[in-house]
mmCIF file of all heavy atoms in Angstrom:
data_model
loop_
_atom_site.group_PDB
_atom_site.id
_atom_site.type_symbol
_atom_site.label_atom_id
_atom_site.label_comp_id
_atom_site.label_asym_id
_atom_site.label_seq_id
_atom_site.Cartn_x
_atom_site.Cartn_y
_atom_site.Cartn_z
ATOM 1 N N ILE I 22 108.538 118.886 112.646
ATOM 2 C CA ILE I 22 107.460 117.884 112.355
ATOM 3 C C ILE I 22 106.837 117.572 113.740
ATOM 4 O O ILE I 22 107.505 117.115 114.611
ATOM 5 C CB ILE I 22 108.003 116.653 111.678
ATOM 6 C CG1 ILE I 22 108.616 117.023 110.328
ATOM 7 C CG2 ILE I 22 106.833 115.622 111.465
ATOM 8 C CD1 ILE I 22 109.326 115.878 109.677
ATOM 9 N N PHE I 52 110.697 116.953 99.355
ATOM 10 C CA PHE I 52 109.341 116.643 98.834
ATOM 11 C C PHE I 52 109.244 115.279 98.144
ATOM 12 O O PHE I 52 108.262 114.526 98.255
ATOM 13 C CB PHE I 52 108.777 117.725 97.913
ATOM 14 C CG PHE I 52 108.208 118.891 98.650
ATOM 15 C CD1 PHE I 52 108.885 120.070 98.775
ATOM 16 C CD2 PHE I 52 106.954 118.841 99.218
ATOM 17 C CE1 PHE I 52 108.364 121.138 99.449
ATOM 18 C CE2 PHE I 52 106.422 119.847 99.895
ATOM 19 C CZ PHE I 52 107.114 121.062 99.972
ATOM 20 N N ARG I 53 110.410 114.857 97.515
ATOM 21 C CA ARG I 53 110.359 113.545 96.853
ATOM 22 C C ARG I 53 110.381 112.432 97.972
ATOM 23 O O ARG I 53 109.889 111.308 97.625
ATOM 24 C CB ARG I 53 111.684 113.428 96.026
ATOM 25 C CG ARG I 53 111.565 114.069 94.640
ATOM 26 C CD ARG I 53 112.939 113.869 93.957
ATOM 27 N NE ARG I 53 112.854 114.327 92.576
ATOM 28 C CZ ARG I 53 113.936 114.353 91.766
ATOM 29 N NH1 ARG I 53 115.098 114.047 92.161
ATOM 30 N NH2 ARG I 53 113.784 114.754 90.500
ATOM 31 N N ASP I 59 105.455 107.968 106.867
ATOM 32 C CA ASP I 59 104.146 107.759 107.669
ATOM 33 C C ASP I 59 104.123 108.774 108.779
ATOM 34 O O ASP I 59 103.120 108.827 109.498
ATOM 35 C CB ASP I 59 104.130 106.348 108.194
ATOM 36 C CG ASP I 59 103.910 105.342 107.144
ATOM 37 O OD1 ASP I 59 103.286 105.585 106.132
ATOM 38 O OD2 ASP I 59 104.485 104.205 107.309
ATOM 39 N N VAL I 64 101.698 119.451 104.954
ATOM 40 C CA VAL I 64 102.822 120.327 105.016
ATOM 41 C C VAL I 64 102.309 121.780 105.032
ATOM 42 O O VAL I 64 101.449 122.118 104.278
ATOM 43 C CB VAL I 64 103.729 120.169 103.791
ATOM 44 C CG1 VAL I 64 104.942 121.155 103.804
ATOM 45 C CG2 VAL I 64 104.302 118.716 103.722
ATOM 46 N N VAL I 67 105.544 128.329 105.712
ATOM 47 C CA VAL I 67 105.220 129.578 106.418
ATOM 48 C C VAL I 67 106.383 130.632 106.066
ATOM 49 O O VAL I 67 107.405 130.333 105.631
ATOM 50 C CB VAL I 67 105.178 129.419 107.943
ATOM 51 C CG1 VAL I 67 104.081 128.446 108.289
ATOM 52 C CG2 VAL I 67 106.542 128.926 108.505
ATOM 53 N N HIS I 80 122.310 137.213 93.411
ATOM 54 C CA HIS I 80 123.841 137.018 93.447
ATOM 55 C C HIS I 80 124.192 135.535 93.335
ATOM 56 O O HIS I 80 125.191 135.189 92.673
ATOM 57 C CB HIS I 80 124.420 137.667 94.644
ATOM 58 C CG HIS I 80 124.117 139.099 94.781
ATOM 59 N ND1 HIS I 80 124.699 140.012 93.929
ATOM 60 C CD2 HIS I 80 123.329 139.825 95.627
ATOM 61 C CE1 HIS I 80 124.268 141.246 94.263
ATOM 62 N NE2 HIS I 80 123.442 141.151 95.286
ATOM 63 N N LEU I 86 123.991 132.190 86.457
ATOM 64 C CA LEU I 86 123.282 131.676 85.275
ATOM 65 C C LEU I 86 123.717 132.411 83.990
ATOM 66 O O LEU I 86 123.724 131.801 82.899
ATOM 67 C CB LEU I 86 121.749 131.827 85.428
ATOM 68 C CG LEU I 86 121.055 130.905 86.478
ATOM 69 C CD1 LEU I 86 119.604 131.219 86.581
ATOM 70 C CD2 LEU I 86 121.262 129.437 86.160
ATOM 71 N N MET I 108 106.426 118.534 94.610
ATOM 72 C CA MET I 108 105.382 119.056 95.450
ATOM 73 C C MET I 108 104.046 118.490 94.971
ATOM 74 O O MET I 108 103.193 118.120 95.835
ATOM 75 C CB MET I 108 105.270 120.552 95.410
ATOM 76 C CG MET I 108 106.527 121.248 96.037
ATOM 77 S SD MET I 108 106.427 123.088 95.940
ATOM 78 C CE MET I 108 104.999 123.524 96.974
ATOM 79 N N SER I 134 101.244 124.756 95.815
ATOM 80 C CA SER I 134 100.602 124.293 97.009
ATOM 81 C C SER I 134 99.123 124.045 96.711
ATOM 82 O O SER I 134 98.523 124.542 95.820
ATOM 83 C CB SER I 134 100.743 125.294 98.104
ATOM 84 O OG SER I 134 102.118 125.533 98.399
ATOM 85 N N LEU I 136 96.599 124.559 98.935
ATOM 86 C CA LEU I 136 95.780 125.641 99.568
ATOM 87 C C LEU I 136 96.735 126.810 99.851
ATOM 88 O O LEU I 136 97.856 126.638 100.262
ATOM 89 C CB LEU I 136 95.124 125.169 100.860
ATOM 90 C CG LEU I 136 94.168 124.004 100.726
ATOM 91 C CD1 LEU I 136 93.879 123.382 102.112
ATOM 92 C CD2 LEU I 136 92.839 124.405 100.035
ATOM 93 N N GLU I 176 97.829 138.325 82.304
ATOM 94 C CA GLU I 176 98.157 139.669 82.847
ATOM 95 C C GLU I 176 99.354 139.660 83.798
ATOM 96 O O GLU I 176 100.268 140.369 83.682
ATOM 97 C CB GLU I 176 96.921 140.239 83.599
ATOM 98 C CG GLU I 176 97.210 141.685 84.066
ATOM 99 C CD GLU I 176 96.001 142.268 84.789
ATOM 100 O OE1 GLU I 176 94.874 141.825 84.553
ATOM 101 O OE2 GLU I 176 96.139 143.187 85.584
ATOM 102 N N ARG I 259 85.504 101.704 106.665
ATOM 103 C CA ARG I 259 84.680 100.935 107.618
ATOM 104 C C ARG I 259 84.448 101.753 108.872
ATOM 105 O O ARG I 259 83.392 101.734 109.448
ATOM 106 C CB ARG I 259 85.420 99.598 107.972
ATOM 107 C CG ARG I 259 84.764 98.820 109.092
ATOM 108 C CD ARG I 259 85.539 97.514 109.380
ATOM 109 N NE ARG I 259 86.965 97.849 109.608
ATOM 110 C CZ ARG I 259 87.362 98.293 110.820
ATOM 111 N NH1 ARG I 259 86.513 98.555 111.754
ATOM 112 N NH2 ARG I 259 88.648 98.500 111.007
ATOM 113 N N TYR I 262 81.752 104.254 108.431
ATOM 114 C CA TYR I 262 80.386 103.630 108.435
ATOM 115 C C TYR I 262 79.950 103.291 109.798
ATOM 116 O O TYR I 262 78.802 103.520 110.253
ATOM 117 C CB TYR I 262 80.421 102.386 107.586
ATOM 118 C CG TYR I 262 79.196 101.442 107.684
ATOM 119 C CD1 TYR I 262 78.014 101.882 107.178
ATOM 120 C CD2 TYR I 262 79.278 100.281 108.447
ATOM 121 C CE1 TYR I 262 76.866 101.082 107.384
ATOM 122 C CE2 TYR I 262 78.200 99.485 108.626
ATOM 123 C CZ TYR I 262 76.958 99.908 108.056
ATOM 124 O OH TYR I 262 75.851 99.115 108.259
ATOM 125 N N GLU I 274 92.475 106.717 111.045
ATOM 126 C CA GLU I 274 93.824 106.322 111.436
ATOM 127 C C GLU I 274 94.702 106.237 110.157
ATOM 128 O O GLU I 274 95.874 105.830 110.283
ATOM 129 C CB GLU I 274 93.789 104.924 112.164
ATOM 130 C CG GLU I 274 93.036 105.034 113.506
ATOM 131 C CD GLU I 274 93.074 103.682 114.204
ATOM 132 O OE1 GLU I 274 93.959 102.919 113.956
ATOM 133 O OE2 GLU I 274 92.187 103.504 115.075
#
Side-chain angles (χ1 to χ4, degrees):
I22 301 173
F52 276 103
R53 279 178 171 174
D59 292 325
V64 178
V67 300
H80 302 290
L86 289 178
M108 291 179 68
S134 300
L136 299 164
E176 179 181 339
R259 174 184 52 79
Y262 167 72
E274 297 182 23

